[in-house]
Amino acid sequence: MKLDKLTKNLAIVAAISIVLALITIYLQSPKGTLVADENQFSIADSGSVNKIVLQQKGKSIVLALDNGIWKVDNLYKVEDLFISNIKNLMYKSQMRKPVNKEILPQIEKLMLSEATECSFYNADQLLKKVKYVADSKDLVGLIDGFKNPYFIDFPLEGKVQIANLLVVDTQNWRSRTIFSSSLSTIESLKVSYFDSTMYNFKINRSTSKFLIEGMPQADSTKIMAYLDLYKNVAIRRFCSVDENFKKDSLLKIKPTFEIELKDKFNEKSNKITIYYALNQKSDIYGLVGLANDLCVIRPRVFEYLLQKRYFFESKK
């Protein structure tokens, strides 16, 4: 009798242990792994995304890997911060909760009229297609082929609003970095002042060091420190097509400054021509590269780059 009672108690204890173990496994499982595929907003690890097509209101752009570099519409390097965030959206997004019934009609209407459709590809294979609507704080996603939209969470890096990440505009995605050269690859750098040529200077690479044309005793430490500033030079923004009339006006007048850098790697060679009036308070415009792309500069960045010739004179 005692043996039967003990066996019964052990069986009960074993059953309780199994139930507790199952509950623990369920609670500790990564979010979303025990629900339907509909809730899996991130791309499976088996698929490496190398092309993304964004579409909204009849407009589309293509983000694609080109020799290890993400480009938009096969023209421009993609902004680093934007591509890191779209990768987080691809690989690290999680379903927070379904859209509740009270606001579902409103969300469904937005999905039809305002959504950005993101198609993620590995080569020509479509891995996933998702429609997103967003404001500055919240993101709602609807996977193609399913009916229920969800609020989505993903780690957003830097000062980027979610809605800005989904703008279908080449200029929005284009990298603002115009110079990204290292001391080991710079071949020459020329700074021109159009109002007074006495301030102009050109730095050339020689066999063992950098030299300033016509200044054999230039301070080499200052030259190296100055060139080191060109590791990451960014403008504020590239201008939209609607602002191109300003470029026509600029081309008719004399510029104020010009910086031209030649790099060992031709794709890193670039120039910017800057137009500035003394004590100007409004946006300062520049024309970048051979295409004279209109941009707005960051004055605090360029005030360090626009040194004058005498800055490099040796004090010895």
Side-chain angles (χ1 to χ4, degrees):
M1 182 72 71
K2 288 183 178 181
L3 186 60
D4 290 341
K5 188 175 182 180
L6 179 60
T7 302
K8 185 177 180 181
N9 288 338
L10 287 172
I12 293 171
V13 170
I16 292 172
S17 298
I18 291 170
V19 171
L20 289 174
L22 290 172
I23 292 173
T24 301
I25 291 171
Y26 177 82
L27 292 175
Q28 291 181 350
S29 294
K31 192 176 182 180
T33 57
L34 298 179
V35 293
D37 285 345
E38 185 176 355
N39 299 349
Q40 303 301 310
F41 275 83
S42 57
I43 302 296
D45 290 340
S46 59
S48 178
V49 176
N50 52 31
K51 185 174 77 171
I52 306 163
V53 179
L54 276 66
Q55 294 177 295
Q56 184 191 50
K57 296 181 178 179
K59 294 171 59 180
S60 68
I61 59 172
V62 177
L63 312 174
L65 270 175
D66 180 14
N67 291 322
I69 298 174
W70 281 94
K71 289 185 177 181
V72 53
D73 289 343
N74 204 33
L75 292 172
Y76 308 113
K77 184 177 181 293
V78 172
E79 182 74 11
D80 289 340
L81 184 59
F82 273 36
I83 201 63
S84 65
N85 276 310
I86 202 74
K87 284 182 178 179
N88 285 341
L89 184 62
M90 288 189 290
Y91 296 119
K92 299 180 181 180
S93 55
Q94 295 283 335
M95 182 271 289
R96 189 200 317 165
K97 63 179 181 179
V99 172
N100 58 48
K101 293 180 180 179
E102 288 76 12
I103 63 170
L104 185 57
Q106 178 187 349
I107 294 297
E108 289 176 336
K109 185 177 179 180
L110 287 172
M111 283 289 175
L112 289 172
S113 61
E114 303 295 329
T116 298
E117 183 180 86
C118 298
S119 301
F120 303 108
Y121 292 86
N122 181 342
D124 293 325
Q125 179 188 0
L126 177 64
L127 300 175
K128 185 162 287 191
K129 184 185 291 184
V130 186
K131 285 185 177 179
Y132 295 105
V133 291
D135 58 22
S136 60
K137 296 180 180 179
D138 285 314
L139 175 68
V140 176
L142 175 63
I143 297 176
D144 187 50
F146 293 89
K147 63 180 181 179
N148 296 324
Y150 292 90
F151 284 99
I152 307 303
D153 285 331
F154 72 100
L156 190 65
E157 299 176 5
K159 295 180 179 179
V160 177
Q161 291 191 344
I162 297 174
N164 288 346
L165 189 64
L166 299 172
V167 174
V168 182
D169 186 330
T170 298
Q171 299 293 45
N172 189 65
W173 283 86
R174 183 178 178 181
S175 174
R176 276 73 166 166
T177 301
I178 61 169
F179 296 119
S180 58
S181 294
S182 65
L183 288 168
S184 62
T185 62
I186 293 175
E187 294 294 329
S188 68
L189 189 138
K190 182 180 180 181
V191 177
S192 301
Y193 290 79
F194 291 89
D195 57 346
S196 180
T197 58
M198 64 182 291
Y199 298 133
N200 295 353
F201 61 89
K202 184 177 182 183
I203 303 173
N204 294 313
R205 176 185 292 279
S206 69
T207 306
S208 58
K209 60 179 180 179
F210 290 99
L211 298 173
I212 293 183
E213 286 186 357
M215 190 184 291
Q217 302 302 318
D219 189 320
S220 59
T221 301
K222 286 185 177 179
I223 294 175
M224 299 293 278
Y226 175 75
L227 293 177
D228 201 44
L229 298 174
Y230 286 84
K231 284 181 178 177
N232 183 14
V233 179
I235 57 171
R236 178 167 292 150
R237 65 181 176 88
F238 280 101
C239 297
S240 66
V241 174
D242 296 338
E243 296 177 277
N244 267 347
F245 70 93
K246 297 174 184 175
K247 180 167 75 172
D248 296 333
S249 299
L250 292 178
L251 289 171
K252 295 175 182 178
I253 63 176
K254 185 170 71 172
T256 315
F257 320 104
E258 186 172 87
I259 300 174
E260 183 175 3
L261 185 148
K262 292 186 178 179
D263 194 282
K264 175 182 176 181
F265 301 104
N266 191 53
E267 67 271 15
K268 290 192 172 186
S269 297
N270 209 352
K271 75 170 184 175
I272 181 169
T273 307
I274 299 170
Y275 296 79
Y276 169 72
L278 189 62
N279 299 319
Q280 182 175 333
K281 301 296 183 183
S282 58
D283 286 341
I284 300 174
Y285 290 95
L287 300 177
V288 177
L290 295 175
N292 284 326
D293 292 321
L294 184 67
C295 74
V296 176
I297 71 165
R298 298 175 183 270
R300 286 184 175 272
V301 170
F302 283 86
E303 68 182 7
Y304 292 106
L305 301 181
L306 291 167
Q307 298 295 341
K308 296 179 178 179
R309 184 180 177 86
Y310 59 73
F311 170 79
F312 300 99
E313 292 177 352
S314 177
K315 303 300 181 181
K316 294 179 182 179

